[in-house]
Amino acid sequence: MKTNSWLRVGLLTLSLCLALPAVAQRKKGSKHSTARKATPRKPKAGNYLILGTAPDDANGKQAYLFGDGQAALDSTMIKDGKFYFERPVDKSLIVARILVPQSYYLLVIPEEGTINAPVDKEAASGTPLNDLYAKLKQEDEALVAPYRDRLKALRTDASLSDEAKEEAYEKIVTELNGIQRPRLLARLTEHPSDAIGYHALQSLLALGDVEAARAEAYAAIATEEIRNSEPIAKQLSALRRQEATKAGAQFIDFTGVDDANQTVSLSDYVGKGHYVLVDFWASWCGPCRREISHLKEVRDAYSDKGLVILGAAVWDEMEDHLKAMKDLEITWPQIVNKNEATELYGIQGIPQIILFDPEGKIVARDLRGKAIDNKLNEILSKTEGKL
């Protein structure tokens, strides 16, 4: 599967190290403590004790402990560079995360014992799985670092066109994937029921060239508990949706609002007798904004041949969207749909540009830059110059 934006460079290299789930924000009203007794020397039987340390700039701030859900499991204030959490081991909690908002983040594996958690370091330690995770993370970082440097140099290389950069980017990522895949697969096979295998599976599913069938095969190696965890389930769902919306599939409708806050649906444009190019984008997305200039060229070159361009504003707020529309001088219609559109099409990175044919079938996904022109010109050569 072709990667579809420079935005995903950082996400990809991060996932290749041992993918970290997104930090969830604490919901209002979640229960947490703010006062503590003296730090215990060791945990009670069946508990895990997290002994946290933090730099001086974190003193007086709250440290939160998150699981896979949205609400914080616990919180406490950092004092004199120290804090702690002690909780019963919960078999359904595969990993936990310590968050000091806008400052520090650390993943921990909540297994029985004492876990040393320096929030300004790369990994926790003190128990078997946390020690192993730290070792593997260090190994993976050493492997990934040269590729990350190559990607960074490529991104800033002014001598290359965007098309040449995209081609070189794909080669580097493919090379790295080829090295990482067997390592991660061996790790998953060796640890199908614990946090090490959980992260190996997350990383395998995030490699970028994994189709649904291969993803299902990877997931089958893990235990049911791992497969059903929220992050893994979401990754698998996205890959299944990508499979269901690949080239040749009929479009799946969704509804949102236009820039005047009036109800509008994808079916108002797609399947109406013209080719429709749909740009899934957001105002905050740098690569999305850069792609707009090329879409204007596409509009000017192909609109009179029948092409319709439609924006699908996702993961965005209306106020920010409208400002971007004005700043970027975008003239084509929009559907603002915050989450459903990306879920239906299994979109994990933007911009994602999809071309639909006059009957509503998907012609191609992951179109960017000159690839859009090439695809449209290919179609025009077979349709007597009509889109």
Side-chain angles (χ1 to χ4, degrees), residues 100-118:
V100 181
Q102 299 180 337
S103 298
Y104 301 102
Y105 169 94
L106 183 69
L107 182 141
V108 297
I109 300 172
E111 60 181 334
E112 184 173 0
T114 300
I115 302 167
N116 300 307

Side-chain angles (χ1 to χ4, degrees), residues 163-288:
E163 189 172 3
K165 286 182 179 181
E166 190 76 16
E167 184 178 349
Y169 169 86
E170 294 295 337
K171 289 181 179 179
I172 294 172
V173 170
T174 299
E175 180 184 341
L176 180 54
N177 286 355
I179 294 173
Q180 280 289 74
R181 183 174 289 106
R183 289 163 50 88
L184 294 168
L185 186 55
R187 200 172 294 173
L188 171 61
T189 303
E190 198 172 328
H191 296 269
S193 61
D194 64 32
I196 303 301
Y198 169 81
H199 281 292
L201 180 55
Q202 277 194 303
S203 297
L204 282 165
L205 298 182
L207 287 182
D209 60 352
V210 179
E211 296 183 351
R214 181 184 283 184
E216 301 288 0
Y218 291 153
I221 298 172
T223 59
E224 184 176 0
E225 182 179 46
I226 298 293
R227 289 197 302 273
N228 292 339
S229 65
E230 184 178 344
I232 297 296
K234 284 184 176 180
Q235 283 180 291
L236 289 171
S237 176
L239 290 167
R240 290 168 188 145
R241 297 313 308 165
Q242 289 173 15
E243 178 70 18
T245 55
K246 65 182 181 181
Q250 190 69 13
F251 83 98
I252 299 176
D253 202 13
F254 60 84
T255 298
V257 296
D258 61 19
D259 293 344
N261 211 35
Q262 299 298 308
T263 300
V264 62
S265 299
L266 183 64
S267 56
D268 293 332
Y269 298 91
V270 173
K272 299 298 184 181
H274 291 278
Y275 281 86
V276 182
L277 195 66
V278 181
D279 175 29
F280 294 79
W281 73 294
S283 65
W284 49 264
C285 167
C288 298

Side-chain angles (χ1 to χ4, degrees), residues 15-45:
S15 71
L16 292 173
C17 286
L18 279 182
L20 300 181
V23 177
Q25 294 300 308
R26 182 174 60 89
K27 287 182 178 178
K28 293 181 179 179
S30 64
K31 296 180 180 179
H32 59 279
S33 59
T34 57
R36 295 282 181 169
K37 298 178 181 179
T39 304
R41 294 186 177 182
K42 63 180 182 178
K44 297 177 182 178

Side-chain angles (χ1 to χ4, degrees), residues 339-359:
N339 295 306
E340 182 191 18
T342 51
E343 291 171 0
L344 288 173
Y345 285 84
I347 295 171
Q348 296 178 288
I350 52 176
Q352 167 64 257
I353 300 175
I354 302 177
L355 180 63
F356 297 86
D357 76 7
E359 286 72 46

